[in-house]
Amino acid sequence: MIDPSSPTPSSPRFWALIPCAGTGSRAGADGPKQYRPLAGRPLVMHTLTAFAAVPRLHQTLVVLAPGDDFLDQQIASLLIAKCGGSTRAQSVLNGLNALAGQGACDSDWVLVHDAARCLITPVQIASLLDACEHDEVGGLLAHKLPDTLKREVDGRVAATLDRSDKWLAQTPQMFRLGLLRRALLQAGDQVTDESSAIEALGLKPRLVPGSAQNFKVTYPEDFALAEAVLRGREAAVATGRSKK
């Protein structure tokens, strides 16, 4: 008997996958950067709160390193898979397999998001869903390059590059589960984002305008900037103004 609640190709579900198994070595902090306090809460909780506020998402799965119990019992509806790999690509691929174990279908959409992009907003997530849910390939949030771009050789400028067609890739990146799994298996462990793996199949993901604030907290100075943005948003809410 067919389960009427099971998704069909005409009614795919939307899942979020958050790789959260990094060590935070570049952030200069003790322990993983995703657990470092930021505006009164662990950094990753800001990320998860944004995804929890998007009702169209079926469920969110966080991929942790084996033995990591930081998020145990933090959010009742959160799916946790302690199957993080030594690279981001491995963690995402393992997470996709974990989602399949939770009933996700190859035709379902998966939004992969960096845990350390803690300034993502529900509005930005929804904009990606709107732009890509009927796309043949899928796509990603990205920010058009605002600065002059230089090419370097031996520490000196070798050329100034045309920036008119350059974008900074962000996350979430949204693709069908089956397609993304096939792309990652073919591309191997060295790809640094899902779009690169999809591109290696000869496909062209859609670019969806994101925000300069949706940066990845990576270096020590990034924490101060992220803190300022979060505090600013809190102040805006307190005074009755909304921030996208």
Side-chain angles (χ1 to χ4, degrees):
M1 180 180 295
I2 298 176
D3 182 353
S5 66
S6 297
T8 66
S10 61
S11 59
R13 292 178 291 184
F14 303 101
W15 304 76
L17 193 163
I18 314 291
C20 190
T23 61
S25 58
R26 288 180 292 176
D30 293 332
K33 66 182 175 184
Q34 59 267 29
Y35 302 144
R36 179 172 166 176
L38 188 66
R41 306 171 67 196
L43 183 153
V44 70
M45 296 306 296
H46 296 286
T47 304
L48 296 176
T49 297
F51 279 85
V54 182
R56 292 164 67 188
L57 293 175
H58 179 65
Q59 276 187 304
T60 295
L61 181 139
V62 181
V63 177
L64 302 178
D68 184 345
D69 60 359
F70 188 90
L71 291 178
D72 288 1
Q73 302 179 346
Q74 289 278 354
I75 303 177
S77 61
L78 191 66
L79 298 176
I80 293 177
K82 299 182 181 181
C83 58
S86 60
T87 66
R88 184 184 188 282
Q90 287 180 352
S91 292
V92 172
L93 182 57
N94 292 346
L96 294 176
N97 292 332
L99 282 178
Q102 292 289 334
C105 301
D106 281 356
S107 58
D108 284 347
W109 290 102
V110 180
L111 283 72
V112 182
H113 184 71
D114 300 323
R117 290 186 189 272
C118 58
L119 301 178
I120 188 69
T121 68
V123 170
Q124 292 162 5
I125 298 169
S127 72
L128 183 67
L129 290 169
D130 291 340
C132 294
E133 65 175 320
H134 300 301
D135 195 90
E136 293 183 355
V137 177
L140 64 151
L141 288 186
H143 187 58
K144 203 162 182 63
L145 189 69
D147 300 315
T148 301
L149 187 64
K150 304 291 185 180
R151 184 169 62 84
E152 173 263 346
V153 174
D154 296 330
R156 293 185 177 274
V157 174
T160 298
L161 306 181
D162 178 15
R163 70 181 181 189
S164 62
D165 60 350
K166 306 297 189 301
W167 292 67
L168 298 172
Q170 299 181 340
T171 65
Q173 301 193 2
M174 175 176 164
F175 301 103
R176 303 274 186 176
L177 187 152
L179 174 65
L180 182 55
R181 180 163 50 190
R182 176 163 63 91
L184 289 171
L185 284 170
Q186 177 174 303
D189 292 342
Q190 300 309 309
V191 291
T192 56
D193 74 344
E194 292 66 51
S195 179
S196 297
I198 296 294
E199 293 161 42
L201 295 178
L203 301 175
K204 297 180 179 180
R206 177 178 297 276
L207 290 164
V208 180
S211 165
Q213 290 187 354
N214 185 26
F215 63 88
K216 186 176 181 180
V217 176
T218 304
Y219 300 105
E221 59 268 26
D222 294 338
F223 284 89
L225 180 55
E227 176 99 16
V229 172
L230 289 168
R231 294 297 187 190
R233 291 178 181 177
E234 291 175 358
V237 170
T239 56
R241 294 181 290 111
S242 64
K243 286 283 186 179
K244 291 186 179 182

